[in-house]
Amino acid sequence: MFRSIRTAVVTALCIAFSAHFNLAAAQDRRVPSSLAELRLSYAPIVQRVQPAVVNVYAAKVVQNRNPLLDDPIFRRFFGGGQQQEQVQRSLGSGVIVDSSGLVVTNVHVIEGADQVKVSLSDKREFEAEIVLKDSRSDLAVLRLKDTKEKFPALEFTNSDELMVGDVVMAIGNPFGVGQTVTHGIISALARTQVGITDYQFFIQTDAAINPGNSGGALVDMNGRLAGINTAIYSRSGGSQGIGFAIPANMVRVVVASAKNGGTAVKRPWLGAKLQAVTPEIAESLGLRSPTGALVASVVPNGPAAKAGLKSSDLITGIDNQTVDDPNAFDYRFATRPLGGTAQIDVQRGGKPLKLTIALESAPDIGRNELVVTARSPFQGAKFSTITPALADELHLDADTEGVVITDLGGDSAAANVGFQKGDIILAVNNQKIGKTVDLEKAAGVSQRLWRITLVRGGQQINVTLGG
């Protein structure tokens, strides 16, 4: 009986508490009591930010070749004909990041462009020159030509301080309709499986981003640049509420290189190869979850080796920031300034330790770039001797030797026989190719047959071509 009475009392109290809680919650939701509350708006932020967001127009001339011209009979009766020129145009967005007229956009917006124009929010247009392209991050820096005025520019926020749920706005030129503002929240941070750039570390947002937004601004509620919008996940070509932006801290590194007069971005070099931790590896190491970056190999005398990093070490953090996988480490490490040091958190044999690693760029002496002009299967291609810096750029083992194709040209003999950018030439007619001078010598000798050993996508291939 007492138990029944006690149960009834508890039930009554719960009902009363619930009613009180619901009443309190209802009281928190009220009708706006003043005109000022009705006019709460993002407009002040937009007005401050909008002048620094621009439209980017890129154009390139391409040759339209009639495939019938490849037929000798057609050419004989109808003549060689002329290749028709066509102008291809691409449209994107950009952000002014320095009052002198420096603009950041995506590389894929201006790739291959013969002419780039920038249109400001006040409808003025300027010719722009490409100062720096960084394909690894898909970021490019432009400079407005023939102008001495001061332009409105956005300041960078510290993108490492962003949190999931923060309100952000995306500003750009979707579908070419004109400057457009959308808003949403940060849906996720540190997205590392997107597959867009070498540095897999993106801000995900549900702010509507569409084609044409690429290179535009993702800004926080302080009106500072949180990231550069660069891609969407879509099955229809339109916004599905999943957009990706390059974090401001990576953008800052690329802009700093451009301001310092660099034509390429210099980043810290680890001097070690990392691999992801699979569930099987985690179990063998006694880890609770498959996180961290496992050291697969260490380059002798490189920064990692000098810091004491060893194969089979597990990197779990850098400068008190957690590292979930190799992509996360690559991003964190790449955004550190050259010349200082970083603290690496490591587990070795189940025991934690800290290592101090110097932040220095990879050696890049001795590329000795070469464009082959001799009549050979290599004619027209551009080659480079593999240096530690180039190996790091191409995600090769640091001890990789040989000569790599860095450019094929538009209609070169090398492209026509099937060579690809990134192919590593190891040997020609049984002669080892270690440097570009070796390839130049081999290509200069007339041959009836060319026996070539190369590496493509990690696989060694033997090829025989006619002279």
Side-chain angles (χ1 to χ4, degrees), residues 47-126:
Q47 289 173 357
R48 188 167 71 251
V49 168
Q50 212 166 22
V53 182
V54 301
N55 300 335
V56 178
Y57 303 92
K60 64 179 177 180
V61 178
V62 296
Q63 303 288 338
N64 277 345
R65 179 175 176 79
N66 190 328
L68 292 176
L69 295 177
D70 294 330
D71 187 334
I73 298 177
F74 184 91
R75 290 200 307 271
R76 178 180 175 184
F77 286 98
F78 297 98
Q82 292 185 348
Q83 296 183 4
Q84 294 183 347
E85 290 186 347
Q86 181 181 4
V87 178
Q88 289 184 349
R89 303 183 187 276
S90 62
L91 172 67
S93 305
V95 182
I96 302 175
V97 292
D98 188 88
S99 60
S100 64
L102 281 184
V103 176
V104 172
T105 186
N106 287 133
V107 168
H108 72 259
V109 171
I110 52 90
E111 189 66 77
D114 300 313
Q115 183 184 43
V116 179
K117 287 186 176 181
V118 170
S119 174
L120 305 187
S121 60
D122 61 9
K123 307 302 181 183
R124 288 186 298 160
E125 286 192 355
F126 294 88

Side-chain angles (χ1 to χ4, degrees), residues 133-153:
K133 289 197 303 184
D134 184 49
S135 297
R136 301 188 70 182
S137 64
D138 193 26
L139 291 171
V141 180
L142 315 175
R143 178 179 285 112
L144 303 185
K145 291 183 178 179
D146 303 324
T147 178
K148 294 182 180 179
E149 67 179 281
K150 297 293 184 181
F151 295 93

